Amino acid sequence: MFEKIQGHQTITSHLEKEIRFNEVSHAYLFSGIDGLGKMKTAREFAKALLCQDQIDKGCGHCSVCIQIDHENYPDVRIVAPKAGETSIKISQVREMISQLSVKPYSGNWRINIIDGAERMTPEAQNSLLKSLEEPLSYNIFILITSHYQAILPTIRSRCQSYHFQPLRILDIEKIILKETEFEQGLVSEAVMAAGGSPGMALYLLSNSEIQKERTAYLRELYGLLKGNEIKVFTLAELLAKDKVTSQENLEFFIHWFYELNLLLEGHPLADHGEPNPAHRAYLQLLTNQKNQAIIKTLFEMMATIQYNVNLRLQWEKCFIKIMKIQKG
Ligand SMILES: [Zn+2]
């Protein structure tokens, strides 16, 4: 079944071996940017562990495999932020923990997947810690995250960690052209904007409005960095729609400044693409130090919006701070 996963052969063959040699861990941490197939891998791993027909592979068509695909198999539990929420609450983690001592419904394992593990509040992470420290034999945890650093070190150290690398532009193009009907030109454009993530490229293809919006945000932010104070308010107004869009756009900005960070330090971009004109324009304005300070400010903003705050005011504060950093 792992052949369905594109571009992460090292990881999938490791996982396959662990099952074959009975060396499965009790806790895994899958990290890497969004849209690389971490959740898909977790699901395939669960099938390989639980499938009725093929041990260590997962057949894809028995009732267990099908139920796992439809997310209604009782021994595969998925915890993620609830609709409209940006964080995983302690109550959700407690509910999962309360089930751990119950024997699996069938088969030998219960797989507990936490999707967006960085969004667990610190209290939620701490309450999970005890279960990771004293695992019950039939429970396996898979924590999935796009922000490795946001996971408590005490949790990270108890998990077997697999880092998913961004794919190369040409590979992503090939995958998308094979699996969809989109025309080549559109696909190339979306793939360039997606930073090595096939999932993000697909998202942009089906949401070309979002792509246009983000280009506009970068243009406004550039104006702000050049000293146009009005942009603080125009940007805050554009971005403060609701918690979830605020969070998505923050992730986009963080990704953007990370890319600039790579370029400022003389590394190639993660997707091996060339810097585009927007990258070059920003690079002329920023130093490494300023760029790092901006990333830190964006992470602070990310922490703030987990709570019920006035989003517009927070975005304004965030942009005023960025403007100060730029002025030095
Ligand atoms: Zn099966």
Side-chain angles (χ1 to χ4, degrees):
M1 277 317 288
F2 280 120
E3 52 267 29
K4 271 197 173 174
I5 312 285
Q6 312 262 10
H8 306 293
Q9 279 82 0
T10 323
I11 295 177
T12 52
S13 62
H14 260 282
L15 292 172
E16 244 173 19
K17 266 190 219 148
E18 287 178 23
I19 301 176
R20 204 172 320 130
F21 297 116
N22 232 341
E23 288 170 353
V24 175
S25 301
H26 282 286
Y28 292 88
L29 180 59
F30 291 177
S31 61
I33 56 169
D34 282 333
L36 288 178
K38 300 187 293 297
M39 185 63 189
K40 203 170 172 184
T41 306
R43 209 176 282 133
E44 293 304 312
F45 186 44
K47 284 195 226 166
L49 285 162
L50 298 167
C51 175
Q52 292 173 326
D53 288 351
Q54 281 179 344
I55 295 162
D56 85 18
K57 280 245 183 266
C59 71
H61 43 73
C62 70
S63 69
V64 173
C65 285
I66 288 170
Q67 283 183 76
I68 292 174
D69 270 337
H70 289 104
E71 296 188 0
N72 56 15
Y73 187 66
D75 291 334
V76 178
R77 291 173 189 272
I78 302 174
V79 174
K82 288 191 174 149
E85 292 287 339
T86 54
S87 59
I88 297 176
K89 302 277 185 307
I90 189 166
S91 55
Q92 291 175 268
V93 174
R94 278 193 183 135
E95 198 201 326
M96 188 185 79
I97 291 172
S98 72
Q99 303 293 319
L100 295 176
S101 59
V102 181
K103 286 251 160 64
Y105 167 78
S106 63
N108 297 325
W109 303 104
R110 179 189 298 105
I111 324 287
N112 304 283
I113 300 175
I114 303 181
D115 189 15
E118 75 282 357
R119 300 193 187 184
M120 279 188 284
T121 59
E123 300 80 33
Q125 292 200 43
N126 275 318
S127 74
L128 177 67
L129 195 57
K130 207 168 157 5
S131 307
L132 293 178
E133 280 167 345
E134 298 157 12
L136 289 158
S137 56
Y138 38 79
N139 282 294
I140 294 177
F141 291 90
I142 305 177
L143 276 57
I144 296 177
T145 184
S146 56
H147 295 297
Y148 181 80
Q149 298 297 342
I151 306 294
L152 293 177
T154 40
I155 290 199
R156 297 200 303 241
S157 67
R158 279 167 183 79
C159 297
Q160 172 150 357
S161 203
Y162 283 113
H163 184 68
F164 287 62
Q165 298 288 346
L167 305 190
R168 293 183 2 189
I169 281 196
L170 284 177
D171 291 337
I172 305 178
E173 269 194 36
K174 247 190 268 167
I175 294 170
I176 295 181
L177 287 170
K178 201 170 112 192
E179 290 186 359
T180 68
E181 307 273 293
F182 292 111
E183 55 157 286
Q184 169 104 45
L186 280 177
V187 173
S188 307
E189 222 170 79
V191 168
M192 285 294 275
S197 159
M200 177 55 82
L202 278 172
Y203 179 67
L204 292 175
L205 276 168
S206 44
N207 295 278
S208 60
E209 279 309 305
I210 292 175
Q211 205 177 346
K212 270 189 225 149
E213 266 175 28
R214 289 186 172 173
T215 313
Y217 297 155
L218 286 184
R219 210 169 38 231
E220 296 291 316
L221 188 56
Y222 179 73
L224 180 139
L225 290 175
K226 288 199 88 172
N228 186 347
E229 286 170 25
I230 303 291
K231 302 291 184 194
V232 168
F233 307 102
T234 40
L235 267 167
E237 189 173 354
L238 285 170
L239 291 161
K241 283 172 212 154
D242 58 69
K243 242 190 196 181
V244 175
T245 25
S246 279
Q247 172 133 13
E248 285 173 359
N249 284 311
L250 262 173
E251 281 171 8
F252 164 70
F253 283 133
I254 288 170
H255 183 75
W256 172 253
F257 284 100
Y258 264 134
E259 283 196 343
L260 293 174
N261 200 38
L262 285 176
L263 295 168
L264 283 163
E265 289 181 352
H267 302 295
L269 290 172
D271 59 14
H272 303 288
E274 287 295 309
N276 62 35
H279 284 121
R280 280 195 278 273
Y282 270 77
L283 288 174
Q284 288 184 343
L285 295 180
L286 291 167
T287 62
N288 203 335
Q289 209 180 3
K290 285 178 182 174
N291 196 58
Q292 302 265 11
I294 292 175
I295 292 174
K296 194 168 160 248
T297 306
L298 292 168
F299 268 116
E300 284 164 6
M301 171 75 181
M302 183 74 92
T304 312
I305 61 168
Q306 308 293 335
Y307 302 99
N308 284 323
V309 288
N310 179 332
L311 286 171
R312 189 163 162 170
L313 192 67
Q314 293 306 322
W315 275 111
E316 284 176 9
K317 279 189 191 164
C318 172
F319 288 126
I320 288 170
K321 208 164 167 193
I322 289 176
M323 201 162 191
K324 278 192 189 148
I325 292 168
Q326 167 63 5
K327 282 184 181 159

mmCIF file with all atom_site columns, all heavy atoms in Angstrom, residues 51-52 59-60 62 65, ligand 1:
data_model
loop_
_atom_site.group_PDB
_atom_site.id
_atom_site.type_symbol
_atom_site.label_atom_id
_atom_site.label_alt_id
_atom_site.label_comp_id
_atom_site.label_asym_id
_atom_site.label_entity_id
_atom_site.label_seq_id
_atom_site.pdbx_PDB_ins_code
_atom_site.Cartn_x
_atom_site.Cartn_y
_atom_site.Cartn_z
_atom_site.occupancy
_atom_site.B_iso_or_equiv
_atom_site.pdbx_formal_charge
_atom_site.auth_seq_id
_atom_site.auth_comp_id
_atom_site.auth_asym_id
_atom_site.auth_atom_id
_atom_site.pdbx_PDB_model_num
ATOM   1  N  N   . CYS A 1 51 ? -4.521  -4.493  8.572  1.00 0.00 ? 51 CYS A N   1
ATOM   2  C  CA  . CYS A 1 51 ? -5.189  -5.182  7.461  1.00 0.00 ? 51 CYS A CA  1
ATOM   3  C  C   . CYS A 1 51 ? -5.410  -6.668  7.781  1.00 0.00 ? 51 CYS A C   1
ATOM   4  O  O   . CYS A 1 51 ? -4.576  -7.316  8.383  1.00 0.00 ? 51 CYS A O   1
ATOM   5  C  CB  . CYS A 1 51 ? -4.338  -5.054  6.197  1.00 0.00 ? 51 CYS A CB  1
ATOM   6  S  SG  . CYS A 1 51 ? -5.002  -5.995  4.817  1.00 0.00 ? 51 CYS A SG  1
ATOM   7  N  N   . GLN A 1 52 ? -6.569  -7.182  7.335  1.00 0.00 ? 52 GLN A N   1
ATOM   8  C  CA  . GLN A 1 52 ? -6.893  -8.580  7.606  1.00 0.00 ? 52 GLN A CA  1
ATOM   9  C  C   . GLN A 1 52 ? -6.259  -9.524  6.591  1.00 0.00 ? 52 GLN A C   1
ATOM   10 O  O   . GLN A 1 52 ? -6.094  -10.701 6.850  1.00 0.00 ? 52 GLN A O   1
ATOM   11 C  CB  . GLN A 1 52 ? -8.408  -8.768  7.547  1.00 0.00 ? 52 GLN A CB  1
ATOM   12 C  CG  . GLN A 1 52 ? -9.118  -8.060  8.669  1.00 0.00 ? 52 GLN A CG  1
ATOM   13 C  CD  . GLN A 1 52 ? -10.616 -8.110  8.506  1.00 0.00 ? 52 GLN A CD  1
ATOM   14 O  OE1 . GLN A 1 52 ? -11.121 -8.086  7.384  1.00 0.00 ? 52 GLN A OE1 1
ATOM   15 N  NE2 . GLN A 1 52 ? -11.329 -8.173  9.616  1.00 0.00 ? 52 GLN A NE2 1
ATOM   16 N  N   . CYS A 1 59 ? -3.919  -4.273  2.215  1.00 0.00 ? 59 CYS A N   1
ATOM   17 C  CA  . CYS A 1 59 ? -4.365  -4.649  0.867  1.00 0.00 ? 59 CYS A CA  1
ATOM   18 C  C   . CYS A 1 59 ? -5.113  -3.507  0.177  1.00 0.00 ? 59 CYS A C   1
ATOM   19 O  O   . CYS A 1 59 ? -5.123  -3.405  -1.034 1.00 0.00 ? 59 CYS A O   1
ATOM   20 C  CB  . CYS A 1 59 ? -5.253  -5.888  0.948  1.00 0.00 ? 59 CYS A CB  1
ATOM   21 S  SG  . CYS A 1 59 ? -6.862  -5.538  1.697  1.00 0.00 ? 59 CYS A SG  1
ATOM   22 N  N   . GLY A 1 60 ? -5.763  -2.656  0.971  1.00 0.00 ? 60 GLY A N   1
ATOM   23 C  CA  . GLY A 1 60 ? -6.502  -1.535  0.369  1.00 0.00 ? 60 GLY A CA  1
ATOM   24 C  C   . GLY A 1 60 ? -7.945  -1.841  0.053  1.00 0.00 ? 60 GLY A C   1
ATOM   25 O  O   . GLY A 1 60 ? -8.717  -0.945  -0.259 1.00 0.00 ? 60 GLY A O   1
ATOM   26 N  N   . CYS A 1 62 ? -9.855  -4.735  1.845  1.00 0.00 ? 62 CYS A N   1
ATOM   27 C  CA  . CYS A 1 62 ? -10.619 -5.474  2.856  1.00 0.00 ? 62 CYS A CA  1
ATOM   28 C  C   . CYS A 1 62 ? -11.452 -4.471  3.674  1.00 0.00 ? 62 CYS A C   1
ATOM   29 O  O   . CYS A 1 62 ? -11.267 -3.265  3.555  1.00 0.00 ? 62 CYS A O   1
ATOM   30 C  CB  . CYS A 1 62 ? -9.688  -6.263  3.783  1.00 0.00 ? 62 CYS A CB  1
ATOM   31 S  SG  . CYS A 1 62 ? -8.734  -5.230  4.889  1.00 0.00 ? 62 CYS A SG  1
ATOM   32 N  N   . CYS A 1 65 ? -9.269  -1.998  5.767  1.00 0.00 ? 65 CYS A N   1
ATOM   33 C  CA  . CYS A 1 65 ? -8.592  -0.956  4.977  1.00 0.00 ? 65 CYS A CA  1
ATOM   34 C  C   . CYS A 1 65 ? -9.595  0.110   4.518  1.00 0.00 ? 65 CYS A C   1
ATOM   35 O  O   . CYS A 1 65 ? -9.312  1.311   4.569  1.00 0.00 ? 65 CYS A O   1
ATOM   36 C  CB  . CYS A 1 65 ? -7.892  -1.565  3.764  1.00 0.00 ? 65 CYS A CB  1
ATOM   37 S  SG  . CYS A 1 65 ? -6.368  -2.438  4.190  1.00 0.00 ? 65 CYS A SG  1
HETATM 38 ZN ZN  . ZN  B 2 .  ? -6.713  -4.725  3.933  1.00 0.00 ? 1  ZN  B ZN  1
#
